[in-house]
Amino acid sequence: MQEILARARVQVLESGVGLDEAGVREVLDLPDEDLPEALELAHEVRLRWCGPEVEVEGIVSLKTGGCPEDCHFCSQSGLFSSPVRSVWLDIQALVEAARATAAAGATEFCIVAAVRGPDARLMAQLREGVAAIRAAVDINIAASLGILTSEQVDELVALGVHRYNHNLETARSFFPEVVTTHSWDERWDTLRLVRDSGMEVCCGGILGMGESLDQRAEFAAQLAELSPHEVPLNFLNPRPGTPMAERALVQPRDALRAIAAFRLALPRTILRYAGGREITLGDLGTREGLLGGINAVIVGNYLTTLGRPASDDLALLDELSMPIKSLSASL
Ligand code: SF4
């Protein structure tokens, strides 16, 4: 057995202490023949420190496209020639989406907007939307609205938003290659405000944007320092018209190594499959990840790309005998 896996078995599985940056780097470098063992250990860690449940979430876009920022992976930036244009959803459609999400068995419903941060119009829409959903549907409401002021954080708490998503996207050292219109530290500041407010922090990123393995390990360590409740793990799905349109996909084995490594860095976090897993891993890899440290999925469509049908994921969880986390368990 590789020394790093023997060490992780004692430190992470038995004591619940995540691997540091150097340890994550070693896992990212494991030869292919050790990958099954790494995934098995990551799965044991997930079962031991998070339990067998899988958290299911649906997401909806309140405002799509036309964003003034230049995140190079994102087809919602108004600065690229990507075919996504600015569209707003009405409140009735938002409530319907929440209802459909709850009916699919999800406990989380995340309202997302493609903005640098919310303006008065967006906050007003959100206020109305959250109140309408709370009156009609039994589901936890999360939000993802970009960079926040402390007043906006307070308002989200008062509205009853229980979790806030804001992704660091990548390692601090690589971020300037990905975004030039705002900094990693601005994102970090919002995350600290959210954490201090008592809302749950959801913070993840995208692998395969051109970062080195050192930077992948750096990113895992930075997430561990933040200690978020949830980490959505995306794999780059290169979108036409964006500066990353020609990037190669992450190789499936590298993606699985990363899943195991992030789980071993973050033994207690909800590690969620987010965008890009279908084209990166396919059906077989989706299963391997769920048996290798992943314990949450997004059902249905992502923001600008199609995911797998919700029923496929739910059938797979059933087949793997993984119970879906219920609302009472998450409140
Ligand atoms: S990732 Fe968010 S902030 Fe960046 S361009 Fe896309 S919608 Fe805008």
Side-chain angles (χ1 to χ4, degrees):
M1 187 203 286
Q2 291 279 338
E3 195 270 330
I4 180 61
L5 294 181
R7 185 147 47 89
R9 182 162 285 281
V10 175
Q11 177 186 320
V12 190
L13 181 62
E14 288 169 21
S15 308
V17 177
L19 290 182
D20 63 8
E21 186 173 337
V24 171
R25 182 69 180 85
E26 283 187 63
V27 175
L28 293 175
D29 239 355
L30 283 173
D32 286 351
E33 59 266 28
D34 290 317
L35 181 55
E37 196 183 327
L39 289 166
E40 213 178 293
L41 177 59
H43 185 51
E44 284 182 68
V45 166
R46 166 265 171 120
L47 291 175
R48 168 82 190 268
W49 296 103
C50 302
E53 290 88 14
V54 174
E55 191 185 84
V56 177
E57 179 189 63
I59 54 180
V60 72
S61 180
L62 181 56
K63 186 239 165 193
T64 307
C67 181
E69 302 304 292
D70 77 342
C71 310
H72 291 11
F73 54 83
C74 183
S75 60
Q76 302 208 59
S77 169
L79 303 176
F80 313 140
S81 61
S82 339
V84 179
R85 288 289 153 253
S86 186
V87 180
W88 286 79
L89 201 66
D90 64 47
I91 300 301
Q92 194 48 40
L94 198 63
V95 173
E96 283 315 313
R99 199 171 274 135
T101 301
T107 50
E108 296 289 319
F109 182 67
C110 186
I111 302 170
V112 179
V115 290
R116 175 189 172 86
D119 58 10
R121 177 185 178 192
L122 180 58
M123 287 304 283
Q125 285 273 91
L126 189 80
R127 223 173 282 133
E128 207 185 324
V130 170
I133 293 167
R134 292 187 73 178
V137 189
D138 206 10
I139 198 160
N140 287 324
I141 301 173
S144 179
L145 314 170
I147 294 167
L148 299 177
T149 63
S150 61
E151 292 74 26
Q152 288 168 334
V153 169
D154 292 345
E155 174 150 17
L156 295 183
V157 172
L159 288 174
V161 171
H162 90 122
R163 186 181 294 173
Y164 192 76
N165 164 262
H166 195 47
N167 291 336
L168 286 168
E169 307 298 8
T170 192
R172 189 168 191 261
S173 68
F174 189 63
F175 193 86
E177 312 274 325
V178 179
V179 183
T180 67
T181 47
H182 60 269
S183 67
W184 194 93
D185 289 335
E186 285 176 273
R187 291 189 177 226
W188 185 262
D189 289 346
T190 289
L191 288 159
R192 282 188 27 202
L193 287 175
V194 171
R195 190 176 59 185
D196 294 348
S197 78
M199 271 190 287
E200 291 180 359
V201 174
C202 168
C203 175
I206 306 176
L207 303 184
M209 295 195 290
E211 75 282 3
S212 65
L213 289 187
D214 283 347
Q215 286 166 323
R216 229 170 256 183
E218 177 196 333
F219 181 41
Q222 286 159 343
L223 288 174
E225 185 187 338
L226 180 69
S227 190
H229 195 84
E230 171 184 343
V231 170
L233 207 53
N234 298 270
F235 300 101
L236 182 71
N237 180 353
R239 305 314 302 151
T242 65
M244 294 192 178
E246 304 303 325
R247 282 267 197 290
L249 295 177
V250 177
Q251 288 303 304
R253 285 199 179 86
D254 291 334
L256 291 170
R257 259 187 282 272
I259 289 169
F262 275 60
R263 169 54 73 203
L264 294 176
L266 299 153
R268 291 177 177 79
T269 199
I270 296 172
L271 193 58
R272 188 182 299 278
Y273 261 147
R277 72 163 146 129
E278 292 83 3
I279 60 159
T280 301
L281 287 166
D283 286 350
L284 198 62
T286 291
R287 173 190 299 260
E288 284 179 86
L290 278 163
L291 292 169
I294 295 286
N295 65 335
V297 295
I298 291 174
V299 286
N301 296 341
Y302 302 123
L303 296 174
T304 58
T305 60
L306 293 176
R308 286 152 45 101
S311 53
D312 285 8
D313 277 333
L314 301 180
L316 179 58
L317 296 180
D318 193 43
E319 189 196 320
L320 296 174
S321 302
M322 289 185 188
I324 295 173
K325 186 163 145 189
S326 65
L327 203 55
S328 57
S330 63
L331 288 176

mmCIF file of all heavy atoms in Angstrom, residues 35-71:
data_model
loop_
_atom_site.group_PDB
_atom_site.id
_atom_site.type_symbol
_atom_site.label_atom_id
_atom_site.label_comp_id
_atom_site.label_asym_id
_atom_site.label_seq_id
_atom_site.Cartn_x
_atom_site.Cartn_y
_atom_site.Cartn_z
ATOM 1 N N LEU A 35 -5.468 3.748 -7.557
ATOM 2 C CA LEU A 35 -6.682 4.573 -7.538
ATOM 3 C C LEU A 35 -7.864 3.869 -6.859
ATOM 4 O O LEU A 35 -8.547 4.485 -6.026
ATOM 5 C CB LEU A 35 -7.021 5.014 -8.966
ATOM 6 C CG LEU A 35 -8.254 5.906 -9.126
ATOM 7 C CD1 LEU A 35 -8.182 7.155 -8.255
ATOM 8 C CD2 LEU A 35 -8.422 6.294 -10.600
ATOM 9 N N PRO A 36 -8.134 2.580 -7.168
ATOM 10 C CA PRO A 36 -9.273 1.933 -6.503
ATOM 11 C C PRO A 36 -9.158 1.975 -4.975
ATOM 12 O O PRO A 36 -10.145 2.202 -4.278
ATOM 13 C CB PRO A 36 -9.218 0.491 -7.025
ATOM 14 C CG PRO A 36 -8.491 0.594 -8.333
ATOM 15 C CD PRO A 36 -7.498 1.699 -8.155
ATOM 16 N N GLU A 37 -7.951 1.796 -4.484
ATOM 17 C CA GLU A 37 -7.771 1.803 -3.024
ATOM 18 C C GLU A 37 -8.004 3.205 -2.452
ATOM 19 O O GLU A 37 -8.581 3.359 -1.361
ATOM 20 C CB GLU A 37 -6.357 1.322 -2.706
ATOM 21 C CG GLU A 37 -6.197 0.942 -1.272
ATOM 22 C CD GLU A 37 -4.765 0.541 -0.969
ATOM 23 O OE1 GLU A 37 -4.090 -0.019 -1.854
ATOM 24 O OE2 GLU A 37 -4.337 0.820 0.154
ATOM 25 N N ALA A 38 -7.556 4.229 -3.194
ATOM 26 C CA ALA A 38 -7.766 5.606 -2.742
ATOM 27 C C ALA A 38 -9.263 5.933 -2.687
ATOM 28 O O ALA A 38 -9.756 6.543 -1.732
ATOM 29 C CB ALA A 38 -7.045 6.581 -3.678
ATOM 30 N N LEU A 39 -9.986 5.477 -3.714
ATOM 31 C CA LEU A 39 -11.429 5.744 -3.749
ATOM 32 C C LEU A 39 -12.145 4.992 -2.629
ATOM 33 O O LEU A 39 -13.061 5.512 -1.991
ATOM 34 C CB LEU A 39 -12.002 5.342 -5.117
ATOM 35 C CG LEU A 39 -11.590 6.260 -6.278
ATOM 36 C CD1 LEU A 39 -11.907 5.601 -7.623
ATOM 37 C CD2 LEU A 39 -12.281 7.616 -6.195
ATOM 38 N N GLU A 40 -11.703 3.770 -2.399
ATOM 39 C CA GLU A 40 -12.326 2.975 -1.330
ATOM 40 C C GLU A 40 -12.121 3.642 0.031
ATOM 41 O O GLU A 40 -13.045 3.726 0.838
ATOM 42 C CB GLU A 40 -11.670 1.594 -1.336
ATOM 43 C CG GLU A 40 -12.585 0.480 -0.937
ATOM 44 C CD GLU A 40 -11.829 -0.837 -1.023
ATOM 45 O OE1 GLU A 40 -11.482 -1.227 -2.154
ATOM 46 O OE2 GLU A 40 -11.579 -1.435 0.041
ATOM 47 N N LEU A 41 -10.914 4.137 0.249
ATOM 48 C CA LEU A 41 -10.632 4.816 1.517
ATOM 49 C C LEU A 41 -11.478 6.094 1.627
ATOM 50 O O LEU A 41 -12.053 6.375 2.681
ATOM 51 C CB LEU A 41 -9.131 5.147 1.606
ATOM 52 C CG LEU A 41 -8.701 5.927 2.837
ATOM 53 C CD1 LEU A 41 -9.027 5.175 4.127
ATOM 54 C CD2 LEU A 41 -7.200 6.261 2.779
ATOM 55 N N ALA A 42 -11.558 6.849 0.528
ATOM 56 C CA ALA A 42 -12.354 8.086 0.545
ATOM 57 C C ALA A 42 -13.820 7.765 0.846
ATOM 58 O O ALA A 42 -14.497 8.496 1.572
ATOM 59 C CB ALA A 42 -12.235 8.797 -0.804
ATOM 60 N N HIS A 43 -14.310 6.661 0.309
ATOM 61 C CA HIS A 43 -15.694 6.242 0.572
ATOM 62 C C HIS A 43 -15.882 5.890 2.052
ATOM 63 O O HIS A 43 -16.864 6.284 2.685
ATOM 64 C CB HIS A 43 -16.020 5.045 -0.315
ATOM 65 C CG HIS A 43 -17.449 4.604 -0.231
ATOM 66 N ND1 HIS A 43 -18.512 5.466 -0.391
ATOM 67 C CD2 HIS A 43 -18.007 3.383 0.004
ATOM 68 C CE1 HIS A 43 -19.652 4.801 -0.261
ATOM 69 N NE2 HIS A 43 -19.361 3.543 -0.015
ATOM 70 N N GLU A 44 -14.910 5.169 2.602
ATOM 71 C CA GLU A 44 -14.992 4.832 4.036
ATOM 72 C C GLU A 44 -14.998 6.104 4.887
ATOM 73 O O GLU A 44 -15.725 6.201 5.877
ATOM 74 C CB GLU A 44 -13.790 3.971 4.444
ATOM 75 C CG GLU A 44 -13.856 2.525 4.007
ATOM 76 C CD GLU A 44 -12.626 1.774 4.519
ATOM 77 O OE1 GLU A 44 -12.492 1.579 5.733
ATOM 78 O OE2 GLU A 44 -11.781 1.390 3.681
ATOM 79 N N VAL A 45 -14.173 7.065 4.501
ATOM 80 C CA VAL A 45 -14.103 8.344 5.239
ATOM 81 C C VAL A 45 -15.457 9.047 5.184
ATOM 82 O O VAL A 45 -15.977 9.527 6.185
ATOM 83 C CB VAL A 45 -12.982 9.247 4.664
ATOM 84 C CG1 VAL A 45 -13.108 10.674 5.177
ATOM 85 C CG2 VAL A 45 -11.616 8.665 5.014
ATOM 86 N N ARG A 46 -16.024 9.082 3.984
ATOM 87 C CA ARG A 46 -17.343 9.726 3.841
ATOM 88 C C ARG A 46 -18.387 9.026 4.722
ATOM 89 O O ARG A 46 -19.162 9.678 5.430
ATOM 90 C CB ARG A 46 -17.724 9.729 2.353
ATOM 91 C CG ARG A 46 -19.170 10.044 2.048
ATOM 92 C CD ARG A 46 -19.936 8.763 1.912
ATOM 93 N NE ARG A 46 -21.356 8.914 1.831
ATOM 94 C CZ ARG A 46 -22.088 8.510 0.806
ATOM 95 N NH1 ARG A 46 -21.517 8.016 -0.252
ATOM 96 N NH2 ARG A 46 -23.391 8.578 0.865
ATOM 97 N N LEU A 47 -18.412 7.688 4.705
ATOM 98 C CA LEU A 47 -19.409 6.971 5.508
ATOM 99 C C LEU A 47 -19.178 7.215 6.997
ATOM 100 O O LEU A 47 -20.114 7.438 7.756
ATOM 101 C CB LEU A 47 -19.356 5.470 5.208
ATOM 102 C CG LEU A 47 -19.842 5.051 3.821
ATOM 103 C CD1 LEU A 47 -19.629 3.556 3.613
ATOM 104 C CD2 LEU A 47 -21.315 5.406 3.619
ATOM 105 N N ARG A 48 -17.907 7.225 7.380
ATOM 106 C CA ARG A 48 -17.593 7.371 8.800
ATOM 107 C C ARG A 48 -17.934 8.773 9.312
ATOM 108 O O ARG A 48 -18.484 8.949 10.394
ATOM 109 C CB ARG A 48 -16.095 7.088 8.996
ATOM 110 C CG ARG A 48 -15.529 7.460 10.337
ATOM 111 C CD ARG A 48 -15.798 6.372 11.369
ATOM 112 N NE ARG A 48 -15.468 6.828 12.704
ATOM 113 C CZ ARG A 48 -14.284 6.657 13.268
ATOM 114 N NH1 ARG A 48 -13.335 6.020 12.626
ATOM 115 N NH2 ARG A 48 -14.066 7.098 14.497
ATOM 116 N N TRP A 49 -17.605 9.815 8.543
ATOM 117 C CA TRP A 49 -17.723 11.182 9.063
ATOM 118 C C TRP A 49 -18.949 11.930 8.555
ATOM 119 O O TRP A 49 -19.304 12.974 9.092
ATOM 120 C CB TRP A 49 -16.432 11.975 8.776
ATOM 121 C CG TRP A 49 -15.279 11.366 9.522
ATOM 122 C CD1 TRP A 49 -14.302 10.565 9.007
ATOM 123 C CD2 TRP A 49 -15.019 11.451 10.929
ATOM 124 N NE1 TRP A 49 -13.446 10.156 10.004
ATOM 125 C CE2 TRP A 49 -13.867 10.690 11.195
ATOM 126 C CE3 TRP A 49 -15.653 12.107 11.995
ATOM 127 C CZ2 TRP A 49 -13.323 10.566 12.478
ATOM 128 C CZ3 TRP A 49 -15.122 11.990 13.278
ATOM 129 C CH2 TRP A 49 -13.969 11.215 13.500
ATOM 130 N N CYS A 50 -19.605 11.423 7.518
ATOM 131 C CA CYS A 50 -20.816 12.104 6.994
ATOM 132 C C CYS A 50 -22.038 11.198 7.027
ATOM 133 O O CYS A 50 -23.153 11.679 6.926
ATOM 134 C CB CYS A 50 -20.618 12.548 5.551
ATOM 135 S SG CYS A 50 -19.250 13.656 5.283
ATOM 136 N N GLY A 51 -21.844 9.895 7.107
ATOM 137 C CA GLY A 51 -22.972 8.980 7.074
ATOM 138 C C GLY A 51 -23.327 8.570 5.656
ATOM 139 O O GLY A 51 -22.733 9.051 4.688
ATOM 140 N N PRO A 52 -24.325 7.676 5.531
ATOM 141 C CA PRO A 52 -24.645 7.111 4.215
ATOM 142 C C PRO A 52 -25.535 7.994 3.342
ATOM 143 O O PRO A 52 -25.656 7.749 2.148
ATOM 144 C CB PRO A 52 -25.382 5.819 4.580
ATOM 145 C CG PRO A 52 -26.010 6.098 5.909
ATOM 146 C CD PRO A 52 -25.088 7.047 6.623
ATOM 147 N N GLU A 53 -26.184 9.027 3.954
ATOM 148 C CA GLU A 53 -27.148 9.809 3.165
ATOM 149 C C GLU A 53 -26.477 10.596 2.057
ATOM 150 O O GLU A 53 -25.339 11.018 2.167
ATOM 151 C CB GLU A 53 -27.906 10.820 4.047
ATOM 152 C CG GLU A 53 -28.874 10.210 5.014
ATOM 153 C CD GLU A 53 -28.195 9.870 6.316
ATOM 154 O OE1 GLU A 53 -27.064 10.343 6.531
ATOM 155 O OE2 GLU A 53 -28.786 9.107 7.088
ATOM 156 N N VAL A 54 -27.245 10.806 1.011
ATOM 157 C CA VAL A 54 -26.819 11.665 -0.098
ATOM 158 C C VAL A 54 -27.771 12.860 -0.146
ATOM 159 O O VAL A 54 -28.990 12.681 -0.105
ATOM 160 C CB VAL A 54 -26.875 10.893 -1.434
ATOM 161 C CG1 VAL A 54 -26.584 11.820 -2.611
ATOM 162 C CG2 VAL A 54 -25.872 9.745 -1.411
ATOM 163 N N GLU A 55 -27.206 14.054 -0.195
ATOM 164 C CA GLU A 55 -28.049 15.245 -0.241
ATOM 165 C C GLU A 55 -28.358 15.602 -1.696
ATOM 166 O O GLU A 55 -27.446 15.659 -2.527
ATOM 167 C CB GLU A 55 -27.354 16.425 0.448
ATOM 168 C CG GLU A 55 -28.295 17.593 0.652
ATOM 169 C CD GLU A 55 -27.596 18.811 1.222
ATOM 170 O OE1 GLU A 55 -27.014 19.581 0.442
ATOM 171 O OE2 GLU A 55 -27.623 18.992 2.447
ATOM 172 N N VAL A 56 -29.619 15.817 -1.973
ATOM 173 C CA VAL A 56 -30.033 16.129 -3.340
ATOM 174 C C VAL A 56 -30.481 17.594 -3.408
ATOM 175 O O VAL A 56 -31.225 18.063 -2.547
ATOM 176 C CB VAL A 56 -31.186 15.192 -3.783
ATOM 177 C CG1 VAL A 56 -31.672 15.556 -5.182
ATOM 178 C CG2 VAL A 56 -30.725 13.736 -3.734
ATOM 179 N N GLU A 57 -30.005 18.277 -4.426
ATOM 180 C CA GLU A 57 -30.300 19.708 -4.567
ATOM 181 C C GLU A 57 -30.751 20.016 -5.992
ATOM 182 O O GLU A 57 -30.267 19.409 -6.950
ATOM 183 C CB GLU A 57 -29.032 20.515 -4.260
ATOM 184 C CG GLU A 57 -29.216 22.021 -4.407
ATOM 185 C CD GLU A 57 -27.903 22.786 -4.307
ATOM 186 O OE1 GLU A 57 -27.014 22.600 -5.148
ATOM 187 O OE2 GLU A 57 -27.773 23.570 -3.366
ATOM 188 N N GLY A 58 -31.640 20.976 -6.104
ATOM 189 C CA GLY A 58 -31.995 21.517 -7.421
ATOM 190 C C GLY A 58 -31.559 22.973 -7.472
ATOM 191 O O GLY A 58 -31.495 23.637 -6.445
ATOM 192 N N ILE A 59 -31.236 23.451 -8.660
ATOM 193 C CA ILE A 59 -30.867 24.861 -8.765
ATOM 194 C C ILE A 59 -31.708 25.537 -9.842
ATOM 195 O O ILE A 59 -32.140 24.892 -10.798
ATOM 196 C CB ILE A 59 -29.363 25.074 -9.080
ATOM 197 C CG1 ILE A 59 -28.937 24.295 -10.324
ATOM 198 C CG2 ILE A 59 -28.499 24.709 -7.916
ATOM 199 C CD1 ILE A 59 -27.473 24.486 -10.664
ATOM 200 N N VAL A 60 -31.943 26.813 -9.638
ATOM 201 C CA VAL A 60 -32.684 27.569 -10.652
ATOM 202 C C VAL A 60 -31.997 28.912 -10.836
ATOM 203 O O VAL A 60 -31.421 29.463 -9.896
ATOM 204 C CB VAL A 60 -34.160 27.754 -10.236
ATOM 205 C CG1 VAL A 60 -34.291 28.741 -9.088
ATOM 206 C CG2 VAL A 60 -35.000 28.200 -11.418
ATOM 207 N N SER A 61 -32.062 29.407 -12.048
ATOM 208 C CA SER A 61 -31.422 30.680 -12.326
ATOM 209 C C SER A 61 -32.465 31.790 -12.336
ATOM 210 O O SER A 61 -33.380 31.782 -13.140
ATOM 211 C CB SER A 61 -30.722 30.598 -13.676
ATOM 212 O OG SER A 61 -30.107 31.822 -13.937
ATOM 213 N N LEU A 62 -32.327 32.715 -11.387
ATOM 214 C CA LEU A 62 -33.252 33.852 -11.317
ATOM 215 C C LEU A 62 -32.896 34.863 -12.404
ATOM 216 O O LEU A 62 -33.762 35.475 -13.006
ATOM 217 C CB LEU A 62 -33.140 34.491 -9.918
ATOM 218 C CG LEU A 62 -34.020 35.686 -9.591
ATOM 219 C CD1 LEU A 62 -35.485 35.367 -9.785
ATOM 220 C CD2 LEU A 62 -33.789 36.128 -8.141
ATOM 221 N N LYS A 63 -31.604 35.044 -12.610
ATOM 222 C CA LYS A 63 -31.166 35.934 -13.697
ATOM 223 C C LYS A 63 -30.011 35.254 -14.438
ATOM 224 O O LYS A 63 -28.965 34.954 -13.851
ATOM 225 C CB LYS A 63 -30.725 37.277 -13.117
ATOM 226 C CG LYS A 63 -30.398 38.310 -14.183
ATOM 227 C CD LYS A 63 -28.986 38.794 -14.053
ATOM 228 C CE LYS A 63 -28.540 39.538 -15.293
ATOM 229 N NZ LYS A 63 -27.095 39.732 -15.288
ATOM 230 N N THR A 64 -30.229 34.981 -15.699
ATOM 231 C CA THR A 64 -29.258 34.221 -16.496
ATOM 232 C C THR A 64 -28.556 35.135 -17.498
ATOM 233 O O THR A 64 -29.207 35.929 -18.172
ATOM 234 C CB THR A 64 -29.995 33.109 -17.289
ATOM 235 O OG1 THR A 64 -30.770 32.341 -16.379
ATOM 236 C CG2 THR A 64 -29.016 32.196 -18.004
ATOM 237 N N GLY A 65 -27.241 35.011 -17.604
ATOM 238 C CA GLY A 65 -26.480 35.707 -18.656
ATOM 239 C C GLY A 65 -26.288 37.193 -18.405
ATOM 240 O O GLY A 65 -26.798 37.765 -17.434
ATOM 241 N N GLY A 66 -25.497 37.803 -19.275
ATOM 242 C CA GLY A 66 -25.289 39.249 -19.204
ATOM 243 C C GLY A 66 -24.486 39.714 -18.016
ATOM 244 O O GLY A 66 -24.563 40.879 -17.602
ATOM 245 N N CYS A 67 -23.676 38.848 -17.419
ATOM 246 C CA CYS A 67 -22.895 39.234 -16.230
ATOM 247 C C CYS A 67 -21.720 40.131 -16.650
ATOM 248 O O CYS A 67 -21.067 39.876 -17.660
ATOM 249 C CB CYS A 67 -22.377 37.980 -15.537
ATOM 250 S SG CYS A 67 -21.424 38.348 -14.057
ATOM 251 N N PRO A 68 -21.424 41.185 -15.860
ATOM 252 C CA PRO A 68 -20.329 42.093 -16.227
ATOM 253 C C PRO A 68 -18.935 41.522 -15.936
ATOM 254 O O PRO A 68 -17.935 42.133 -16.339
ATOM 255 C CB PRO A 68 -20.585 43.321 -15.350
ATOM 256 C CG PRO A 68 -21.332 42.799 -14.164
ATOM 257 C CD PRO A 68 -22.159 41.653 -14.668
ATOM 258 N N GLU A 69 -18.858 40.386 -15.251
ATOM 259 C CA GLU A 69 -17.544 39.833 -14.880
ATOM 260 C C GLU A 69 -16.974 38.980 -16.030
ATOM 261 O O GLU A 69 -17.689 38.644 -16.969
ATOM 262 C CB GLU A 69 -17.671 39.012 -13.589
ATOM 263 C CG GLU A 69 -18.223 39.807 -12.429
ATOM 264 C CD GLU A 69 -17.417 41.057 -12.133
ATOM 265 O OE1 GLU A 69 -16.270 40.954 -11.693
ATOM 266 O OE2 GLU A 69 -17.934 42.170 -12.365
ATOM 267 N N ASP A 70 -15.690 38.623 -15.905
ATOM 268 C CA ASP A 70 -15.053 37.929 -17.042
ATOM 269 C C ASP A 70 -14.477 36.549 -16.682
ATOM 270 O O ASP A 70 -13.446 36.150 -17.214
ATOM 271 C CB ASP A 70 -13.954 38.812 -17.659
ATOM 272 C CG ASP A 70 -12.681 38.824 -16.833
ATOM 273 O OD1 ASP A 70 -12.723 38.454 -15.639
ATOM 274 O OD2 ASP A 70 -11.625 39.189 -17.382
ATOM 275 N N CYS A 71 -15.154 35.820 -15.792
ATOM 276 C CA CYS A 71 -14.677 34.481 -15.420
ATOM 277 C C CYS A 71 -14.576 33.660 -16.720
ATOM 278 O O CYS A 71 -15.584 33.449 -17.398
ATOM 279 C CB CYS A 71 -15.642 33.845 -14.432
ATOM 280 S SG CYS A 71 -16.041 34.958 -13.052
#
